[in-house]
């Protein structure tokens, strides 16, 4: 069981590359699909040939069917590896998101303990250690979960490809001649050499297809889509540039920290972490919301903070669809404490969303994706995510 201090645990989690794991998982799955497709084609051909009468046709089936079955085994094995890597990547993304949020939360606590005078005392040092210990208690289990997910799958091995001796169906070992003497051709026993070979130079020089009018420049495949990015692409409409929390599936605005639940179509209360209000289609819609309290709440701060004006908006755009979350009802006697909690929570989530987006960009070049390009603007324009309640 992991037992690291806070900063060591944070660095260990950040050293992993879950986005890359997901990409490798896709490679394994694509390989599995190719193997299964080839196996199906070979088995279909074998069935058609063996349906005819005659020893040569039956011999073909005796050789082709075992190979098709073996390729199916390879496909199943590759799928097992891909599934295991994808799960490890998903657990890793959740761990890194948690680590980023905990880093922001611990930093908030330490800043509050140190205070504006920036002077340390034994009591403050103990308070800082306590804050770090709380963060470590959250991150160490994340290390255990990620390690367990990575080691959970054990795909094992695949038997060697079956090689038959003529049409008898008897298996014979595959040997390769290493002799350069007279009469040696260096071929593998029991196999044939195809006379139809494609030149690698010819393959490399083949043009990349464009549209019929040849008006668009060639676009190599594989550079346009990043399906594992947590950043919402242009197809997300009002949520373009937001970041999907791998832990909850909620969408986080990297500039404010507000959350939206795309499953229920509702906003998320920053104190309770639960969706509230009626279903709304997009973040820009202000009508049809209930469950929150229409009113004003002032969240703002000094330099470098995310300033939220008296109508609970950021840059003139209302947060939470123009409704105040239920936990932040100004009539609540504990409003001041809850508002501070909400401010800190939103700041930590904004920091985590930005950090995760940039981390994935470093692993998978996400910023070059035509769907994910908004993240570069969102991250670069986002202010320092520190929220305080105006006193």
């Amino acid at each position: 069981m992991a037992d690291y201090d806070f900063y060591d645990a944070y660095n260990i989690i950040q050293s992993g590359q879950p986005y890359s794991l997901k990409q490798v998982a896709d490679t394994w799955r694509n390989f599995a699909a190719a193997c299964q497709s080839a196996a199906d084609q070979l088995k279909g051909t074998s069935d058609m040939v063996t349906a005819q009468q005659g020893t040569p046709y039956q011999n073909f089936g005796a050789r082709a069917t075992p190979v098709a079955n073996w390729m199916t085994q390879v496909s199943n094995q590759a799928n097992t590896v891909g599934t295991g890597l994808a799960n490890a990547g998903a657990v890793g993304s959740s761990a890194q998101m948690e680590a980023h949020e905990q880093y922001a939360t611990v930093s908030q606590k330490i800043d509050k303990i140190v205070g504006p005078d920036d002077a340390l005392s034994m009591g403050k040092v103990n308070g800082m250690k306590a804050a770090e210990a709380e963060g470590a208690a959250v991150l160490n289990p994340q290390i255990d979960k990620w390690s367990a997910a990575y080691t959970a799958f054990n795909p094992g091995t695949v038997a060697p490809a079956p090689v038959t001796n003529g049409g008898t169906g008897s298996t014979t070992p595959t040997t390769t001649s290493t002799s350069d003497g007279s009469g040696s051709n260096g071929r593998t026993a029991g196999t044939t050499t195809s006379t139809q070979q494609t030149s690698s130079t010819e393959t490399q020089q083949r043009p990349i297809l464009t549209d019929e009018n040849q008006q668009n420049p060639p676009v190599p495949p594989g550079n346009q889509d990043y399906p594992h990015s947590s950043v919402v692409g242009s197809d997300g409409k009002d949520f373009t540039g937001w970041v999907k929390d791998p832990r909850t599936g909620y969408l986080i605005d990297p500039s404010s920290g507000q959350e939206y639940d795309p499953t229920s179509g509702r906003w998320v209360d920053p104190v309770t972490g639960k969706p509230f209000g009626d279903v709304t289609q997009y973040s820009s819609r202000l009508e049809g919301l209930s469950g929150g309290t229409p009113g004003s709440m002032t969240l703002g701060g000094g330099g470098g903070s995310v300033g939220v004006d008296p109508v609970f908006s950021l840059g003139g755009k209302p947060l939470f669809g123009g409704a105040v979350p239920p936990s932040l009802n100004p009539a609540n006697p504990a409003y001041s404490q809850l508002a501070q909690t909400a401010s800190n929570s939103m700041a930590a989530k904004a920091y985590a969303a930005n950090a995760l987006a940039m981390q994935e960009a470093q692993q998978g070049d996400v910023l070059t994706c035509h769907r994910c390009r908004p993240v570069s603007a969102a991250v670069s324009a986002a202010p320092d995510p520190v929220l305080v309640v105006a006193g």
Side-chain angles (χ1 to χ4, degrees), residues 196-350:
Q196 298 179 350
Q197 297 181 353
T198 302
S199 169
S200 60
T201 303
E202 178 185 352
T203 302
Q204 295 173 359
Q205 293 177 350
R206 289 176 181 170
I208 300 175
L209 296 179
T210 59
D211 63 352
E212 296 179 356
N213 298 325
Q214 296 291 315
Q215 295 177 349
N216 297 329
V219 179
N223 294 341
Q224 296 300 303
D225 195 18
Y226 292 83
H228 302 298
S229 173
S230 297
V231 181
V232 179
S234 57
D235 53 345
K237 299 182 181 179
D238 284 10
F239 298 101
T240 297
W242 289 38
V243 178
K244 182 178 180 179
D245 190 331
R247 302 166 299 179
T248 62
Y250 295 161
L251 303 181
I252 302 176
D253 180 4
S255 62
S256 66
Q258 64 177 327
E259 293 181 283
Y260 180 83
D261 179 15
T263 301
S264 65
R266 297 184 295 171
W267 298 100
V268 178
D269 191 308
V271 175
T272 65
K274 303 295 183 181
F276 72 93
D278 292 337
V279 174
T280 179
Q281 185 176 4
Y282 301 120
S283 60
S284 60
R285 291 187 56 183
L286 305 181
E287 72 277 11
L289 291 174
S290 65
T293 304
S296 62
M297 181 173 67
T298 303
L299 295 177
S305 67
V306 176
V308 184
D309 64 24
V311 294
F312 201 39
S313 67
L314 179 65
K317 185 176 182 179
L319 300 179
F320 304 109
V324 177
S327 64
L328 299 179
N329 187 336
N332 192 325
Y335 167 75
S336 297
Q337 293 87 342
L338 292 175
Q340 183 66 69
T341 299
S343 298
N344 292 340
S345 174
M346 293 173 65
K349 291 186 184 301

Side-chain angles (χ1 to χ4, degrees), residues 79-218:
N79 265 325
T80 299
V81 175
T83 300
L85 290 175
N87 179 62
V91 175
S93 293
S94 297
Q96 289 189 341
M97 186 69 174
E98 185 68 48
H100 289 312
E101 187 169 344
Q102 286 299 317
Y103 185 89
T105 300
V106 170
S107 298
Q108 290 171 350
K109 293 178 180 179
I110 290 178
D111 289 343
K112 183 177 180 180
I113 292 172
V114 173
D117 55 0
D118 203 27
L120 291 179
S121 64
M122 184 59 66
K124 290 184 176 181
V125 171
N126 291 336
M128 294 167 60
K129 290 182 178 180
E132 294 172 2
E134 291 177 2
V138 175
L139 296 191
N140 278 306
Q142 295 295 326
I143 296 176
D144 293 332
K145 290 179 182 178
W146 196 358
S147 299
Y150 191 79
T151 58
F153 68 100
N154 183 16
T157 59
V158 178
V163 178
T164 57
N165 183 12
T168 63
S170 60
T171 303
T172 182
T174 301
T175 59
T176 303
S177 172
T178 57
S179 172
D180 294 328
S182 175
S184 173
N185 56 16
R187 295 179 182 175
T188 301
T191 62
T192 59
T193 303
S194 173
T195 59
Q196 298 179 350
Q197 297 181 353
T198 302
S199 169
S200 60
T201 303
E202 178 185 352
T203 302
Q204 295 173 359
Q205 293 177 350
R206 289 176 181 170
I208 300 175
L209 296 179
T210 59
D211 63 352
E212 296 179 356
N213 298 325
Q214 296 291 315
Q215 295 177 349
N216 297 329

Side-chain angles (χ1 to χ4, degrees), residues 53-60:
Q53 294 183 354
T55 301
Y57 303 119
Q58 304 306 313
N59 288 345
F60 176 85

Side-chain angles (χ1 to χ4, degrees), residues 19 23 217-229 233-235 364-373:
Y19 188 89
Q23 290 179 313
V219 179
N223 294 341
Q224 296 300 303
D225 195 18
Y226 292 83
H228 302 298
S229 173
S234 57
D235 53 345
D365 197 22
V366 177
L367 296 186
T368 63
C369 170
H370 76 294
R371 294 192 312 109
C372 307
R373 230 173 253 150

